[in-house]
Amino acid sequence: GQQVMQIPQYQHVQEGEDFTTYCNSSTTLSNIQWYKQRPGGHPVFLIQLVKSGEVKKQKRLTFQFGEAKKNSSLHITATQTTDVGTYFCAGYNFNKFYFGSGTKLNVKP
Amino acid sequence: KAGVTQTPRYLIKTRGQQVTLSCSPISGHRSVSWYQQTPGQGLQFLFEYFSETQRNKGNFPGRFSGRQFSNSRSEMNVSTLELGDSALYLCASSLEVRGSTEAFFGQGTRLTVV
């Protein structure tokens, strides 16, 4: 069945370095959402991308939706310790909604 | 506005017992979804209720069941608890069907089965 694959599983960076997580689907998606879960917390919605090739920015975070609407990425510029957490993508299509397995980001000060 | 409220926050149960978890969605939200989260397993989808009807169901045994009331509040029940059911159970509400609009998660119920 349709799944959303997310890589990498873990990423350790030094504060100030950039970070990227990737999400891939085997089929075309209607939209893709991104969530962040801080340690000990619950997932919090970050953004939803709908259009092919869409790029959205939130301060140091840049979200992209692929031209074929099968992949997406989240890029963080100059990470800070407040960026620590697990980032999940979630793809939606034809009443099917799948969460990726998440990328756990650790930032060393 | 008030967020998604899950009760209880923590629960310890013995193997073989049953448990009921509660979720109060954001006012006006019609969809309530339940997820199981264990370390290293991500978010495993249990089921979604929309306007009191189960819309989708994940790959969990029949011991896991749920329902939604007319006020959109939802309950999840797990019968004959097993040690492997120990997890964080998250409830998420959204305005429309799961995935079409943003989901708001509750803080979760941490269930420990001993």
Side-chain angles (χ1 to χ4, degrees):
Chain A
Q2 176 183 349
Q3 287 187 0
V4 172
M5 310 302 292
Q6 191 173 353
I7 56 170
Q9 191 174 1
Y10 300 97
Q11 187 80 57
H12 300 271
V13 300
Q14 197 71 40
E15 189 173 22
E17 291 181 337
D18 291 357
F19 159 77
T20 305
T21 173
Y22 300 90
C23 202
N24 293 290
S25 168
S26 55
T27 59
T28 304
L29 300 169
S30 299
N31 70 49
I32 196 154
Q33 299 176 352
W34 286 91
Y35 294 80
K36 176 184 178 181
Q37 184 174 20
R38 294 180 188 272
H42 56 277
V44 174
F45 175 82
L46 292 175
I47 207 160
Q48 175 169 296
L49 305 173
V50 179
K51 300 176 183 176
S52 167
E54 188 169 16
V55 178
K56 286 190 176 180
K57 293 191 176 186
Q58 290 179 351
K59 296 182 181 178
R60 294 178 295 105
L61 276 61
T62 302
F63 303 85
Q64 291 189 331
F65 201 8
E67 292 290 342
K69 301 183 73 173
K70 288 186 177 182
N71 56 71
S72 181
S73 65
L74 158 58
H75 179 82
I76 302 178
T77 303
T79 54
Q80 300 175 358
T81 54
T82 53
D83 296 324
V84 165
T86 301
Y87 293 84
F88 293 96
C89 63
Y92 175 72
N93 193 32
F94 295 119
N95 288 328
K96 298 294 185 183
F97 186 54
Y98 296 95
F99 273 90
S101 53
T103 296
K104 189 172 182 179
L105 172 64
N106 186 40
V107 180
K108 290 179 287 186
Chain B
K1 58 183 175 182
V4 178
T5 304
Q6 288 188 247
T7 56
R9 290 291 310 279
Y10 303 92
L11 207 49
I12 300 175
K13 288 286 188 179
T14 305
R15 267 185 306 174
Q17 286 187 313
Q18 75 164 14
V19 66
T20 299
L21 312 181
S22 179
C23 173
S24 293
I26 291 172
S27 177
H29 284 196
R30 294 190 290 170
S31 169
V32 175
S33 299
W34 289 88
Y35 298 86
Q36 181 195 66
Q37 187 173 41
T38 53
Q41 291 297 316
L43 292 162
Q44 303 297 313
F45 171 64
L46 282 155
F47 27 66
E48 177 193 9
Y49 286 88
F50 186 85
S51 296
E52 300 179 67
T53 302
Q54 188 180 87
R55 282 192 72 249
N56 282 301
K57 191 175 189 302
N59 296 323
F60 278 81
R63 299 185 297 107
F64 292 81
S65 63
R67 58 179 176 169
Q68 186 180 31
F69 302 95
S70 57
N71 61 359
S72 291
R73 190 177 71 86
S74 177
E75 286 182 348
M76 189 191 93
N77 185 75
V78 188
S79 62
T80 320
L81 284 165
E82 299 176 359
L83 295 178
D85 296 333
S86 295
L88 178 67
Y89 290 89
L90 291 161
C91 159
S93 79
S94 53
L95 200 57
E96 294 299 331
V97 298
R98 189 175 78 105
S100 61
T101 56
E102 68 179 283
F104 294 83
F105 283 81
Q107 292 183 303
T109 294
R110 186 162 296 281
L111 171 66
T112 303
V113 182
V114 297

